[in-house]
Amino acid sequence: TGLHELAGILQQLRDDYRTVLVLRFISQLTPADTAVVMKRSPGAVRVLQHRALEALRRILEAEGQKMHE
């Protein structure tokens, strides 16, 4: 199912990348609340989120290429 695929893809990410994406987009916390939970500054959370999304994009692109082989 889609949830199993999503879980599998998220498992490929570093722990901090997975955590920031789950807190921001699944738990729907604000960047400030995410910073408190992760014990980081809001700026660090924004950078981490950006890097996590880039890593996720690369994984999804690789998965898409595998499907077309």
Side-chain angles (χ1 to χ4, degrees):
T1 66
L3 288 177
H4 291 298
E5 290 176 39
L6 177 60
I9 290 169
L10 289 175
Q11 287 300 318
Q12 296 178 53
L13 294 171
R14 289 177 18 180
D15 288 346
D16 56 348
Y17 286 2
R18 184 171 48 254
T19 299
V20 76
L21 293 180
V22 167
L23 291 174
R24 288 285 293 122
F25 299 110
I26 296 174
S27 298
Q28 298 183 334
L29 295 184
T30 64
D33 290 340
T34 301
V36 170
V37 171
M38 295 187 74
K39 296 181 172 78
R40 296 182 183 229
S41 71
V45 166
R46 285 191 297 274
V47 170
L48 192 63
Q49 176 183 318
H50 174 76
R51 291 177 180 166
L53 289 170
E54 283 297 309
L56 181 61
R57 181 186 58 77
R58 286 191 300 274
I59 291 168
L60 292 173
E61 285 177 351
E63 292 289 326
Q65 287 181 1
K66 286 181 192 174
M67 291 178 64
H68 290 104
E69 290 179 353

Coordinates of all heavy atoms in Angstrom, one line a residue:
T1 N 0.8 -1.2 0.0 CA 0.0 0.0 0.0 C 0.9 1.2 0.0 O 2.1 1.2 0.2 CB -0.9 0.0 1.2 OG1 -0.1 0.2 2.4 CG2 -1.8 -1.2 1.3
G2 N 0.3 2.4 -0.2 CA 1.0 3.6 -0.2 C 1.7 4.0 1.1 O 2.8 4.5 1.1
L3 N 1.0 3.6 2.2 CA 1.7 3.9 3.5 C 2.9 3.0 3.7 O 3.9 3.5 4.3 CB 0.7 3.7 4.7 CG -0.5 4.7 4.8 CD1 -1.4 4.3 5.9 CD2 0.1 6.1 5.0
H4 N 2.9 1.8 3.3 CA 4.0 0.9 3.4 C 5.2 1.4 2.6 O 6.3 1.4 3.0 CB 3.7 -0.5 3.1 CG 2.8 -1.2 4.1 ND1 3.1 -1.4 5.4 CD2 1.5 -1.7 3.9 CE1 2.1 -2.0 6.0 NE2 1.1 -2.2 5.1
E5 N 4.8 1.9 1.4 CA 5.9 2.5 0.5 C 6.5 3.7 1.1 O 7.7 3.9 1.1 CB 5.3 2.8 -0.9 CG 4.9 1.6 -1.7 CD 4.2 2.0 -3.0 OE1 4.7 3.0 -3.6 OE2 3.3 1.2 -3.4
L6 N 5.6 4.6 1.6 CA 6.1 5.8 2.3 C 7.0 5.4 3.5 O 8.1 6.0 3.6 CB 5.0 6.7 2.7 CG 5.4 7.9 3.5 CD1 6.2 8.8 2.6 CD2 4.1 8.7 4.0
A7 N 6.6 4.5 4.3 CA 7.4 4.1 5.4 C 8.8 3.5 5.0 O 9.8 3.9 5.6 CB 6.7 3.1 6.3
G8 N 8.8 2.8 3.9 CA 10.0 2.2 3.4 C 10.9 3.3 2.9 O 12.2 3.2 3.1
I9 N 10.4 4.3 2.2 CA 11.2 5.4 1.7 C 11.7 6.2 2.8 O 12.9 6.6 2.8 CB 10.4 6.2 0.7 CG1 10.1 5.4 -0.6 CG2 11.1 7.5 0.4 CD1 9.1 6.0 -1.5
L10 N 10.9 6.5 3.8 CA 11.4 7.3 5.0 C 12.5 6.6 5.7 O 13.4 7.2 6.3 CB 10.2 7.6 5.9 CG 9.2 8.7 5.4 CD1 8.1 8.8 6.4 CD2 9.9 10.0 5.1
Q11 N 12.4 5.3 5.8 CA 13.5 4.5 6.5 C 14.8 4.6 5.8 O 15.9 4.4 6.4 CB 13.1 3.0 6.5 CG 12.0 2.7 7.5 CD 12.4 3.1 8.9 OE1 13.5 2.9 9.4 NE2 11.4 3.7 9.6
Q12 N 14.9 5.1 4.5 CA 16.1 5.2 3.8 C 16.8 6.6 4.2 O 18.0 6.8 3.9 CB 15.9 5.2 2.3 CG 15.4 3.9 1.8 CD 15.1 3.9 0.3 OE1 16.0 4.3 -0.5 NE2 13.9 3.5 -0.1
L13 N 16.1 7.4 4.9 CA 16.6 8.7 5.3 C 17.4 8.6 6.6 O 17.1 7.7 7.4 CB 15.5 9.8 5.4 CG 14.7 10.1 4.2 CD1 13.5 11.0 4.6 CD2 15.6 10.9 3.2
R14 N 18.3 9.6 6.8 CA 19.0 9.7 8.1 C 17.9 9.9 9.1 O 16.8 10.5 8.9 CB 19.9 10.9 8.1 CG 21.1 10.8 7.3 CD 22.0 12.0 7.2 NE 21.8 13.0 8.3 CZ 22.5 14.1 8.4 NH1 23.4 14.4 7.5 NH2 22.2 15.0 9.3
D15 N 18.2 9.6 10.4 CA 17.2 9.7 11.5 C 16.8 11.2 11.6 O 15.6 11.4 11.8 CB 17.8 9.2 12.8 CG 18.0 7.7 12.9 OD1 17.4 7.0 12.0 OD2 18.7 7.3 13.8
D16 N 17.7 12.1 11.6 CA 17.2 13.5 11.8 C 16.4 14.0 10.6 O 15.5 14.8 10.8 CB 18.4 14.4 12.1 CG 19.5 14.4 11.1 OD1 19.6 13.5 10.2 OD2 20.4 15.3 11.2
Y17 N 16.7 13.6 9.4 CA 15.9 13.9 8.3 C 14.5 13.4 8.4 O 13.5 14.1 8.2 CB 16.5 13.4 7.0 CG 17.8 14.2 6.5 CD1 18.3 15.2 7.2 CD2 18.4 13.8 5.3 CE1 19.5 15.9 6.8 CE2 19.5 14.5 4.8 CZ 20.0 15.5 5.6 OH 21.1 16.2 5.1
R18 N 14.4 12.1 8.7 CA 13.1 11.5 8.9 C 12.3 12.1 10.0 O 11.1 12.4 9.8 CB 13.3 10.0 9.2 CG 12.0 9.2 9.3 CD 12.2 7.7 9.4 NE 13.2 7.3 10.4 CZ 14.5 6.9 10.2 NH1 14.9 6.7 8.9 NH2 15.3 6.5 11.1
T19 N 13.0 12.5 11.1 CA 12.3 13.1 12.2 C 11.7 14.4 11.9 O 10.5 14.7 12.1 CB 13.2 13.3 13.4 OG1 13.7 12.0 13.9 CG2 12.6 14.0 14.6
V20 N 12.5 15.3 11.2 CA 12.0 16.6 10.8 C 10.8 16.5 9.9 O 9.9 17.3 10.0 CB 13.1 17.5 10.3 CG1 13.6 17.2 8.9 CG2 12.7 19.0 10.4
L21 N 10.9 15.6 8.9 CA 9.8 15.5 8.0 C 8.5 15.0 8.6 O 7.4 15.4 8.3 CB 10.2 14.6 6.8 CG 11.3 15.1 5.9 CD1 11.6 14.1 4.8 CD2 10.9 16.5 5.3
V22 N 8.7 14.0 9.5 CA 7.5 13.5 10.2 C 6.9 14.6 11.1 O 5.7 14.7 11.1 CB 7.9 12.2 11.1 CG1 6.8 11.8 12.0 CG2 8.2 11.0 10.1
L23 N 7.7 15.3 11.9 CA 7.2 16.3 12.7 C 6.5 17.4 11.9 O 5.4 17.9 12.3 CB 8.3 16.9 13.6 CG 8.8 16.0 14.7 CD1 10.0 16.6 15.4 CD2 7.7 15.6 15.7
R24 N 7.1 17.9 10.8 CA 6.6 19.0 10.1 C 5.4 18.6 9.2 O 4.4 19.3 9.2 CB 7.7 19.5 9.1 CG 8.8 20.3 9.9 CD 8.3 21.7 10.4 NE 8.1 22.5 9.2 CZ 6.9 23.1 8.9 NH1 5.9 22.9 9.7 NH2 6.7 23.8 7.9
F25 N 5.4 17.5 8.5 CA 4.4 17.2 7.6 C 3.4 16.1 8.0 O 2.3 16.1 7.5 CB 5.0 16.8 6.2 CG 5.9 17.9 5.7 CD1 7.3 17.8 5.7 CD2 5.3 19.1 5.2 CE1 8.1 18.8 5.2 CE2 6.1 20.1 4.7 CZ 7.5 20.0 4.7
I26 N 3.7 15.2 8.9 CA 2.8 14.2 9.3 C 2.1 14.7 10.6 O 0.9 14.8 10.8 CB 3.4 12.9 9.5 CG1 3.9 12.4 8.1 CG2 2.5 11.9 10.1 CD1 4.7 11.1 8.1
S27 N 2.9 15.2 11.6 CA 2.4 15.7 12.8 C 1.9 17.1 12.7 O 1.3 17.7 13.6 CB 3.4 15.6 14.0 OG 3.8 14.3 14.2
Q28 N 2.3 17.8 11.6 CA 1.9 19.2 11.3 C 2.4 20.2 12.3 O 1.6 21.1 12.6 CB 0.4 19.3 11.0 CG 0.0 18.4 9.8 CD -1.4 18.5 9.4 OE1 -2.2 18.8 10.3 NE2 -1.7 18.3 8.2
L29 N 3.5 20.0 12.9 CA 4.1 21.0 13.8 C 4.6 22.2 13.1 O 5.1 22.0 11.9 CB 5.2 20.4 14.7 CG 4.8 19.3 15.7 CD1 6.0 18.9 16.5 CD2 3.7 19.7 16.6
T30 N 4.6 23.3 13.7 CA 5.2 24.5 13.1 C 6.7 24.3 13.2 O 7.3 23.5 13.9 CB 4.8 25.8 13.9 OG1 5.4 25.7 15.2 CG2 3.3 26.0 14.0
P31 N 7.5 25.1 12.4 CA 8.9 25.1 12.5 C 9.4 25.4 13.9 O 10.3 24.7 14.4 CB 9.4 26.1 11.5 CG 8.3 26.2 10.5 CD 7.0 26.0 11.3
A32 N 8.8 26.3 14.6 CA 9.2 26.7 16.0 C 8.9 25.5 16.9 O 9.8 25.2 17.8 CB 8.4 27.9 16.5
D33 N 7.8 24.8 16.8 CA 7.5 23.7 17.7 C 8.4 22.5 17.4 O 8.8 21.8 18.3 CB 6.0 23.3 17.5 CG 5.0 24.2 18.1 OD1 5.5 25.1 19.0 OD2 3.9 24.2 17.7
T34 N 8.7 22.3 16.1 CA 9.6 21.3 15.7 C 11.0 21.5 16.3 O 11.7 20.6 16.8 CB 9.7 21.2 14.1 OG1 8.4 20.9 13.6 CG2 10.7 20.1 13.7
A35 N 11.4 22.8 16.3 CA 12.7 23.2 16.9 C 12.8 22.8 18.4 O 13.8 22.3 18.9 CB 13.0 24.7 16.7
V36 N 11.7 23.1 19.1 CA 11.6 22.7 20.5 C 11.7 21.2 20.7 O 12.5 20.7 21.5 CB 10.3 23.3 21.2 CG1 10.2 22.7 22.6 CG2 10.3 24.8 21.1
V37 N 11.0 20.5 19.9 CA 11.0 19.0 20.1 C 12.4 18.4 19.8 O 12.9 17.5 20.4 CB 9.9 18.3 19.2 CG1 10.1 16.8 19.1 CG2 8.5 18.7 19.6
M38 N 13.0 19.0 18.7 CA 14.3 18.5 18.3 C 15.5 19.1 19.0 O 16.6 18.7 18.7 CB 14.4 18.7 16.8 CG 13.4 17.8 15.9 SD 13.8 17.9 14.2 CE 15.2 16.9 14.0
K39 N 15.2 20.1 19.9 CA 16.2 20.8 20.6 C 17.2 21.4 19.7 O 18.4 21.3 19.8 CB 16.9 19.8 21.6 CG 16.0 19.3 22.7 CD 16.7 18.4 23.7 CE 15.9 18.0 24.8 NZ 14.9 17.0 24.6
R40 N 16.7 22.1 18.7 CA 17.5 22.9 17.7 C 16.9 24.2 17.5 O 15.7 24.5 17.9 CB 17.5 22.1 16.4 CG 18.2 20.8 16.4 CD 18.2 20.2 15.0 NE 18.8 18.8 15.1 CZ 19.7 18.4 14.3 NH1 20.2 19.2 13.4 NH2 20.1 17.2 14.4
S41 N 17.6 25.1 16.9 CA 17.1 26.4 16.6 C 16.1 26.3 15.4 O 16.2 25.4 14.6 CB 18.2 27.4 16.3 OG 18.7 27.1 15.0
P42 N 15.2 27.3 15.3 CA 14.3 27.3 14.2 C 15.0 27.4 12.9 O 14.6 26.7 11.9 CB 13.4 28.5 14.4 CG 13.4 28.7 15.9 CD 14.8 28.3 16.3
G43 N 16.1 28.1 12.8 CA 16.9 28.2 11.6 C 17.5 26.8 11.2 O 17.5 26.4 10.1
A44 N 18.0 26.1 12.2 CA 18.6 24.8 12.0 C 17.5 23.8 11.5 O 17.8 23.0 10.6 CB 19.2 24.2 13.3
V45 N 16.3 24.0 12.0 CA 15.2 23.1 11.5 C 14.8 23.4 10.1 O 14.6 22.5 9.3 CB 13.9 23.3 12.4 CG1 12.7 22.7 11.8 CG2 14.2 22.6 13.8
R46 N 14.8 24.7 9.7 CA 14.6 25.0 8.3 C 15.6 24.4 7.4 O 15.3 23.9 6.3 CB 14.5 26.6 8.1 CG 13.2 27.2 8.7 CD 13.0 28.6 8.2 NE 14.1 29.5 8.8 CZ 14.1 30.1 10.0 NH1 13.0 29.9 10.8 NH2 15.0 30.8 10.4
V47 N 16.9 24.5 7.8 CA 18.0 24.0 7.0 C 17.8 22.4 6.9 O 17.9 21.8 5.8 CB 19.3 24.4 7.5 CG1 20.5 23.6 6.8 CG2 19.6 25.9 7.3
L48 N 17.6 21.8 8.0 CA 17.4 20.4 8.1 C 16.3 19.9 7.2 O 16.4 18.9 6.5 CB 17.2 19.9 9.5 CG 17.3 18.5 9.8 CD1 18.7 17.9 9.5 CD2 17.0 18.2 11.3
Q49 N 15.1 20.7 7.3 CA 14.0 20.3 6.5 C 14.3 20.4 5.0 O 14.0 19.5 4.2 CB 12.8 21.2 6.8 CG 11.6 21.0 6.0 CD 10.5 22.0 6.3 OE1 10.2 22.3 7.4 NE2 9.9 22.5 5.2
H50 N 15.0 21.5 4.6 CA 15.4 21.6 3.2 C 16.3 20.5 2.7 O 16.0 19.9 1.7 CB 16.1 23.0 3.0 CG 16.7 23.2 1.6 ND1 15.9 23.5 0.6 CD2 17.9 23.0 1.1 CE1 16.6 23.6 -0.5 NE2 17.9 23.3 -0.2
R51 N 17.3 20.1 3.5 CA 18.2 19.0 3.2 C 17.4 17.7 3.1 O 17.7 16.8 2.3 CB 19.3 18.9 4.2 CG 20.3 20.1 4.0 CD 21.4 20.1 5.0 NE 22.2 21.3 4.8 CZ 23.1 21.7 5.7 NH1 23.3 21.0 6.8 NH2 23.9 22.7 5.4
A52 N 16.5 17.5 4.1 CA 15.7 16.3 4.1 C 14.8 16.1 2.9 O 14.7 15.0 2.3 CB 14.8 16.2 5.4
L53 N 14.2 17.2 2.5 CA 13.4 17.2 1.3 C 14.2 16.9 0.0 O 13.8 16.2 -0.9 CB 12.6 18.5 1.1 CG 11.5 18.7 2.1 CD1 10.9 20.1 2.0 CD2 10.4 17.7 1.9
E54 N 15.4 17.5 0.0 CA 16.3 17.2 -1.2 C 16.7 15.7 -1.2 O 16.7 15.1 -2.2 CB 17.6 18.1 -1.1 CG 17.3 19.5 -1.5 CD 16.9 19.6 -3.0 OE1 17.6 19.0 -3.9 OE2 15.9 20.2 -3.3
A55 N 17.0 15.1 0.0 CA 17.4 13.7 0.1 C 16.2 12.9 -0.4 O 16.3 11.9 -1.1 CB 17.8 13.4 1.5
L56 N 15.0 13.2 0.1 CA 13.8 12.5 -0.3 C 13.5 12.6 -1.8 O 13.2 11.6 -2.4 CB 12.6 13.1 0.5 CG 11.2 12.4 0.2 CD1 11.2 11.0 0.6 CD2 10.1 13.2 1.0
R57 N 13.7 13.7 -2.4 CA 13.6 13.9 -3.8 C 14.5 13.0 -4.6 O 14.1 12.3 -5.5 CB 13.8 15.4 -4.2 CG 13.6 15.6 -5.7 CD 14.0 17.0 -6.1 NE 15.4 17.3 -5.8 CZ 16.5 16.9 -6.5 NH1 16.4 16.2 -7.5 NH2 17.7 17.3 -6.1
R58 N 15.8 12.9 -4.1 CA 16.7 12.0 -4.8 C 16.3 10.6 -4.7 O 16.4 9.8 -5.7 CB 18.1 12.2 -4.2 CG 18.8 13.5 -4.6 CD 20.3 13.6 -4.3 NE 20.5 13.5 -2.8 CZ 20.5 14.5 -2.0 NH1 20.2 15.7 -2.5 NH2 20.8 14.4 -0.7
I59 N 15.8 10.2 -3.5 CA 15.4 8.8 -3.4 C 14.2 8.5 -4.3 O 14.1 7.5 -5.0 CB 15.0 8.5 -1.9 CG1 16.2 8.5 -1.0 CG2 14.2 7.2 -1.8 CD1 15.9 8.5 0.5
L60 N 13.2 9.4 -4.3 CA 12.1 9.2 -5.2 C 12.4 9.2 -6.7 O 11.9 8.4 -7.4 CB 11.0 10.3 -4.9 CG 10.4 10.3 -3.5 CD1 9.5 11.5 -3.3 CD2 9.6 9.0 -3.4
E61 N 13.4 10.0 -7.1 CA 13.8 10.0 -8.5 C 14.5 8.6 -8.8 O 14.3 8.1 -9.8 CB 14.8 11.1 -8.7 CG 14.1 12.5 -8.8 CD 15.1 13.6 -9.0 OE1 16.3 13.4 -8.9 OE2 14.7 14.7 -9.3
A62 N 15.3 8.1 -7.9 CA 15.9 6.8 -8.1 C 14.9 5.7 -8.1 O 15.0 4.8 -9.0 CB 16.9 6.6 -7.0
E63 N 13.9 5.8 -7.3 CA 12.8 4.8 -7.3 C 12.1 4.8 -8.6 O 11.7 3.8 -9.2 CB 11.9 5.0 -6.1 CG 12.4 4.8 -4.8 CD 12.7 3.3 -4.5 OE1 11.9 2.4 -4.9 OE2 13.7 3.0 -3.8
G64 N 11.8 6.1 -9.1 CA 11.1 6.2 -10.4 C 11.9 5.7 -11.5 O 11.4 5.1 -12.4
Q65 N 13.2 5.8 -11.5 CA 14.1 5.3 -12.6 C 14.1 3.8 -12.5 O 14.1 3.1 -13.6 CB 15.5 5.8 -12.4 CG 15.6 7.3 -12.8 CD 17.1 7.8 -12.8 OE1 18.0 7.1 -12.4 NE2 17.2 9.1 -13.1
K66 N 14.0 3.2 -11.3 CA 14.0 1.7 -11.2 C 12.7 1.2 -11.8 O 12.7 0.1 -12.5 CB 14.0 1.3 -9.7 CG 15.4 1.4 -9.1 CD 15.3 0.9 -7.7 CE 16.6 1.3 -6.9 NZ 16.4 0.9 -5.5
M67 N 11.6 1.9 -11.7 CA 10.3 1.5 -12.2 C 10.3 1.5 -13.8 O 9.6 0.8 -14.4 CB 9.2 2.4 -11.7 CG 8.9 2.2 -10.2 SD 7.6 3.3 -9.6 CE 6.2 2.7 -10.5
H68 N 11.2 2.4 -14.4 CA 11.2 2.5 -15.8 C 12.2 1.6 -16.5 O 12.3 1.5 -17.7 CB 11.5 3.9 -16.2 CG 10.3 4.8 -15.9 ND1 10.3 5.7 -14.9 CD2 9.1 4.9 -16.5 CE1 9.1 6.3 -14.9 NE2 8.4 5.9 -15.9
E69 N 13.0 0.8 -15.7 CA 14.0 -0.1 -16.2 C 13.3 -1.4 -16.7 O 12.3 -1.8 -16.3 CB 15.0 -0.4 -15.2 CG 15.9 0.8 -14.9 CD 17.0 0.5 -13.8 OE1 17.0 -0.6 -13.2 OE2 17.8 1.4 -13.6

